[in-house]
Amino acid sequence: MEDKKLMLFLNENLFINKGTNRVCYEHPHEKIKCLKIDLTKNKETKRELKYYKILSKNNISFDMLSRYYGSVETNLGIAESFELIRNFDGSIAIELDKYLNNLNISDNEIEEIIKCIPSLKQYLYKNRIYVKDLNTVNIVYKRNKLNSKLVIIDGLAHSNYNPFLYQSDYFILKKIDKSWEKFVNSIKRKELIKSNPFFKNYLH
């Protein structure tokens, strides 16, 4: 876990991305970590961290979900430290959305990415992980020399916390069903997918 007493200094050179609720930076000393800072007070981060604790308690695999390392103090405020997903060459993994919106990408390359979707589905159902905001922006494609994969980096928080939800396979699977269907339908609407119906064979 991160040490809150250690002040970390962040600057524009470490900037990765900015979303609606948070801004993300590379960890200045540890390349395997990134730091997320809330732009405004919101409940999403607290809900996300609460869910991470539940998943850790259940000893789930973090093979396709970025790990959480704890809170740390920075010159820009308190940050939450997460695993920074990198490719085999050390570059930061790119969001799935950017690949799917790149009309210049080859059919072979996009197929290699789309082929990873069934494994992601299997991972979510096997580990009973519900991602409230499961979309192509919150997932990155991690390029490995062998066995590249998709990894979830955000969107884990529940809209409403209900302890019973995490104790019932029936309700958690219903939640996963709903989020997965929405996710797959969003991919099917991408121009790259519509122009090549064969890719839909990976989308179920």
Side-chain angles (χ1 to χ4, degrees):
M1 300 294 282
E2 293 283 359
D3 183 357
K4 289 184 180 181
K5 296 179 182 179
L6 177 64
M7 169 73 79
L8 297 178
F9 288 87
L10 306 177
N11 56 46
E12 292 183 1
N13 294 329
L14 299 170
F15 174 82
I16 296 177
N17 205 349
K18 183 178 180 180
T20 304
N21 298 317
R22 296 188 289 191
V23 60
C24 183
Y25 294 87
E26 289 186 56
H27 194 294
H29 309 305
E30 301 181 63
K31 294 299 183 182
I32 65 166
K33 296 179 181 180
C34 65
L35 302 172
K36 298 180 182 180
I37 301 174
D38 286 340
L39 294 170
T40 59
K41 290 185 178 181
N42 66 82
K43 297 179 180 179
E44 290 298 303
T45 298
K46 289 184 178 179
R47 289 170 177 163
E48 181 181 46
L49 301 185
K50 186 178 290 185
Y51 193 25
Y52 260 100
K53 289 180 180 178
I54 292 172
L55 294 176
S56 296
K57 184 178 179 180
N58 292 338
N59 293 316
I60 67 128
S61 163
F62 281 89
D63 184 49
M64 296 183 187
L65 175 64
S66 62
R67 293 177 179 274
Y68 172 63
Y69 295 108
S71 301
V72 65
E73 188 176 353
T74 79
N75 58 313
L76 301 178
I78 297 297
E80 303 302 335
S81 178
F82 290 88
E83 179 183 6
L84 178 57
I85 308 303
R86 292 183 179 273
N87 300 311
F88 70 93
D89 59 3
S91 60
I92 298 174
I94 297 174
E95 294 95 332
L96 176 59
D97 195 65
K98 291 182 178 178
Y99 285 105
L100 294 177
N101 288 324
N102 181 5
L103 298 180
N104 295 318
I105 196 171
S106 69
D107 285 349
N108 287 338
E109 187 175 1
I110 197 65
E111 183 177 4
E112 287 302 309
I113 297 170
I114 295 296
K115 283 168 62 175
C116 295
I117 291 180
S119 294
L120 179 65
K121 180 180 182 180
Q122 182 181 23
Y123 169 78
L124 292 175
Y125 277 88
K126 179 180 179 179
N127 291 281
R128 302 292 192 266
I129 300 173
Y130 167 59
V131 183
K132 180 177 80 74
D133 196 10
L134 185 65
N135 62 56
T136 54
V137 175
N138 291 333
I139 297 171
V140 297
Y141 176 60
K142 177 177 171 58
R143 294 185 292 107
N144 294 322
K145 290 184 177 180
L146 294 173
N147 301 321
S148 296
K149 61 184 176 181
L150 298 174
V151 180
I152 299 164
I153 60 169
D154 212 340
L156 207 63
H158 281 204
S159 55
N160 292 296
Y161 176 72
N162 183 345
F164 182 70
L165 173 66
Y166 306 101
Q167 300 170 11
S168 168
D169 279 352
Y170 174 80
F171 285 108
I172 195 71
L173 289 175
K174 284 291 184 182
K175 285 280 190 179
I176 297 173
D177 284 342
K178 187 176 181 179
S179 65
W180 186 260
E181 181 179 9
K182 183 178 178 181
F183 170 64
V184 167
N185 287 337
S186 72
I187 294 178
K188 289 179 179 178
R189 291 193 292 269
K190 298 289 186 180
E191 288 300 322
L192 276 175
I193 306 303
K194 290 196 295 184
S195 64
N196 194 332
F198 172 76
F199 292 148
K200 293 183 180 179
N201 292 328
Y202 301 108
L203 303 173
H204 299 287

